[in-house]
Amino acid sequence: MATIAPPTPVQRPQVRREPTSYEALKAHFETHPEERPRHTHPWDVSRSDIYFEDKWQPVFAEMRKAGQLHWIPESPFGPYWAVVGHKAIQHIEALPETFSSSWEHGGITILNRLTEEEAAAAGIDAPRELPMFIAMDRPQHTGQRRTVAPKFTPTAIADMEAEIRQRTGELLDSLPRGEVFDWVDTVSIELTTGMLAILFGFPWEDRRLLTFWSDWSGDTELATVRELDELRWSILQEMAAYFQSLWVERTMDKEPGNDLISMMIHSPAMNQMRPEEFMGNLVLLIVGGNDTTRNTMSGIIHALDKFPDQRKLYEENPELIPNAVQEILRMQVPLAHMRRTCTEDTEVFGQTIKKGDKVVLWYISANRDEEVFDNPDKLDITRENARRHLAFGYGIHRCVGARLAELQLRVLLEEMHKRRMRVHVAGDVERVRANFVHGFRKLEVEVTTF
């Protein structure tokens, strides 16, 4: 009787694992300090140093006092509208036809699209685009979002809870006692990359590649340096090639899996994607699933350490944990902004926005809006309207994985509480130097008990 040979395993492509985007950018500006972006307008909040130094709060407070949105005539990213008020952001997000997210108009970050002339001058055949469903308008956005949405329904999320709880508990039990370690690397990155690897059905031994690619994707400042933008693009192409090998593997499966790649393969809205679109959607799912949860997991520790009265409340009242998650998301805001492009002349809160204008929604400011949140710079885990935060956006582009992020954060706080674990900031605190991703690069801590 003839035997059937097992399928030949798909060869993984060679990929780089260094340098990190942070190392590359730091080395470049140390050698070429004159190339650092220059910000001359006092209200140009696209400057990354205010986030790195955690000094962004006063300028946004000043801007909110003066109005809901302001025209910034010059910045390294060109002129733009800075929308800083909670009301104005919700208003704009509710009008997706007037305020487009489409990559064809400029996409979702403050960066400028490369014109055909600029691409030619840089020796690039055509302007580089990364279409992804968050950077699409209806109807394309609807079909592609619908493909991955079943992975994030309440039922699907509930099915993941036991595994998330087990992995979180095991990691917390392995943490060193009586010594200082980096919470970002040991806990935040490990938990979020592990979750992403499960969602994608990604090889476990290579899961740290997801963090590496996420950082190269989400660092907007890289795009201001042509040679680093070249390197970024080649790293993202390696990422796409690696995922392509997983795609080929999944097409050989007898039964369709329930991981995100299998869901794309079996979706009419996504199984004919161009290479750029495949790469764009990978970037979206990796940055969306990695940076946001990772930075809030670090933000939890920093916030509870900074506000010991709230830490005491959490320790004495674990029933406050679900609301504490919302309040910490409000305070942390893992993505500082999203961008829209105006498609027709329109008026918003007394300001005329012209067709083609870049409109930047500063969620980081809306979440500290005094008209919505009392004493907004203070952590208050009993805050009744904490859920009104805009950390996940608003409207049709609200984060598709919001429930999963909330679950991961809730489980982390519950498992810490179960172990009576108190985490103190005990060394270096280093923030991300960027105007898009808002978070921590390093957070040195020590674990004690309460």
Side-chain angles (χ1 to χ4, degrees):
M1 183 177 165
T3 56
I4 299 167
T8 310
V10 175
Q11 193 69 34
R12 300 270 177 257
Q14 289 294 309
V15 293
R16 271 167 287 201
R17 296 166 191 262
E18 57 181 27
T20 66
S21 61
Y22 169 71
E23 290 163 348
L25 202 57
K26 187 179 177 188
H28 180 84
F29 285 137
E30 280 172 358
T31 316
H32 305 282
E34 74 287 352
E35 289 186 21
R36 277 202 180 277
R38 304 207 180 283
H39 303 262
T40 54
H41 195 283
W43 283 359
D44 176 15
V45 284
S46 71
R47 53 188 307 153
S48 59
D49 60 322
I50 60 174
Y51 307 103
F52 179 70
E53 294 166 11
D54 198 33
K55 293 179 178 172
W56 52 271
Q57 299 88 343
V59 63
F60 278 116
E62 187 181 300
M63 291 166 78
R64 285 193 302 272
K65 199 171 179 182
Q68 290 275 318
L69 65 160
H70 306 281
W71 179 245
I72 310 301
E74 54 185 358
S75 85
F77 307 99
Y80 66 94
W81 286 96
V83 188
V84 295
H86 192 281
K87 262 187 214 163
I89 289 178
Q90 284 193 324
H91 176 81
I92 287 167
E93 292 272 52
L95 298 168
E97 275 74 38
T98 305
F99 296 97
S100 169
S101 300
S102 174
W103 59 274
E104 294 172 289
H105 294 300
I108 57 163
T109 76
I110 198 169
L111 294 175
N112 291 323
R113 281 181 85 195
L114 212 58
T115 64
E116 288 187 13
E117 294 76 21
E118 287 169 332
I124 301 164
D125 292 340
R128 287 167 173 166
E129 307 290 2
L130 277 180
M132 53 185 82
F133 66 80
I134 197 175
M136 291 177 183
D137 295 331
R138 294 184 284 205
Q140 293 93 336
H141 167 263
T142 312
Q144 294 202 1
R145 182 179 168 113
R146 223 172 248 158
T147 299
V148 300
K151 196 76 181 160
F152 304 105
T153 61
T155 306
I157 299 296
D159 289 345
M160 288 188 241
E161 181 166 345
E163 185 174 6
I164 290 170
R165 194 172 292 283
Q166 182 187 342
R167 286 182 54 251
T168 304
E170 286 171 359
L171 180 64
L172 293 178
D173 289 338
S174 73
L175 295 179
R177 301 297 174 111
E179 65 180 78
V180 174
F181 65 94
D182 179 12
W183 180 271
V184 175
D185 187 68
T186 312
V187 179
S188 304
I189 289 178
E190 192 54 34
L191 286 177
T192 48
T193 7
M195 188 71 247
L196 262 185
I198 291 164
L199 288 173
F200 278 118
F202 195 86
W204 192 254
E205 65 280 6
D206 279 346
R207 65 192 181 281
R208 284 288 178 128
L209 278 171
L210 295 166
T211 304
F212 178 72
W213 292 329
S214 178
D215 291 345
W216 274 99
S217 307
D219 196 331
T220 45
E221 208 156 305
L222 289 165
T224 64
V225 180
R226 178 60 52 223
E227 67 193 68
L228 291 185
D229 200 35
E230 291 288 315
L231 178 56
R232 173 177 178 258
W233 193 256
S234 65
I235 285 171
L236 294 185
Q237 286 174 313
E238 290 175 4
M239 173 198 75
Y242 191 109
F243 271 97
Q244 189 64 39
S245 73
L246 296 177
W247 181 288
V248 171
E249 233 170 41
R250 302 293 145 83
T251 59
M252 299 174 184
D253 291 345
K254 291 193 176 87
E255 295 291 326
N258 70 344
D259 60 277
L260 289 171
I261 297 172
S262 298
M263 291 166 95
M264 289 184 197
I265 289 170
H266 294 281
S267 157
M270 294 184 94
N271 62 12
Q272 300 299 317
M273 288 184 287
R274 292 178 292 124
E276 298 83 6
E277 205 173 324
F278 181 50
M279 190 152 57
N281 278 314
L282 291 174
V283 165
L284 167 62
L285 293 165
I286 290 171
V287 174
N290 183 61
D291 280 353
T292 49
T293 317
R294 168 176 93 184
N295 287 315
T296 310
M297 282 180 172
S298 301
I300 281 172
I301 300 307
H302 190 265
L304 290 176
D305 188 77
K306 189 178 175 184
F307 295 95
D309 62 318
Q310 298 302 298
R311 179 166 64 196
K312 190 167 186 287
L313 258 182
Y314 151 70
E315 290 172 355
E316 293 174 355
N317 304 278
E319 69 277 6
L320 290 174
I321 287 174
N323 200 63
V325 167
Q326 301 302 324
E327 175 67 351
I328 289 163
L329 280 162
R330 181 191 73 82
M331 290 286 284
Q332 178 56 39
V333 203
L335 293 178
H337 80 262
M338 282 283 173
R339 175 260 185 95
R340 306 288 181 253
T341 305
C342 192
T343 60
E344 58 183 344
D345 291 4
T346 191
E347 190 170 297
V348 175
F349 290 85
Q351 301 274 22
T352 301
I353 302 180
K354 302 274 190 192
K355 179 179 179 177
D357 281 358
K358 183 188 296 188
V359 180
V360 183
L361 312 174
W362 293 99
Y363 299 145
I364 196 167
S365 173
N367 279 4
R368 302 292 177 102
D369 192 330
E370 301 81 355
E371 290 185 15
V372 179
F373 304 107
D374 291 334
N375 200 0
D377 291 328
K378 183 184 187 314
L379 181 76
D380 176 4
I381 66 171
T382 66
R383 190 182 294 278
E384 288 181 6
N385 69 346
R387 275 191 172 275
R388 289 192 64 193
H389 70 78
L390 299 181
F392 292 126
Y394 183 81
I396 67 166
H397 290 288
R398 188 175 188 272
C399 174
V400 71
R403 285 194 196 95
L404 179 57
E406 289 166 347
L407 172 64
Q408 289 175 270
L409 298 168
R410 173 172 64 78
V411 166
L412 176 61
L413 281 172
E414 287 171 352
E415 292 301 308
M416 284 170 58
H417 194 280
K418 195 187 289 181
R419 289 159 177 76
R420 302 186 62 82
M421 184 179 282
R422 181 182 288 174
V423 185
H424 300 271
V425 176
D428 287 353
V429 177
E430 189 180 337
R431 290 177 169 80
V432 174
R433 186 187 282 275
N435 62 28
F436 183 59
V437 172
H438 180 239
F440 296 86
R441 192 167 303 289
K442 183 194 283 185
L443 185 64
E444 292 189 332
V445 300
E446 189 172 358
V447 173
T448 61
T449 52
F450 64 87

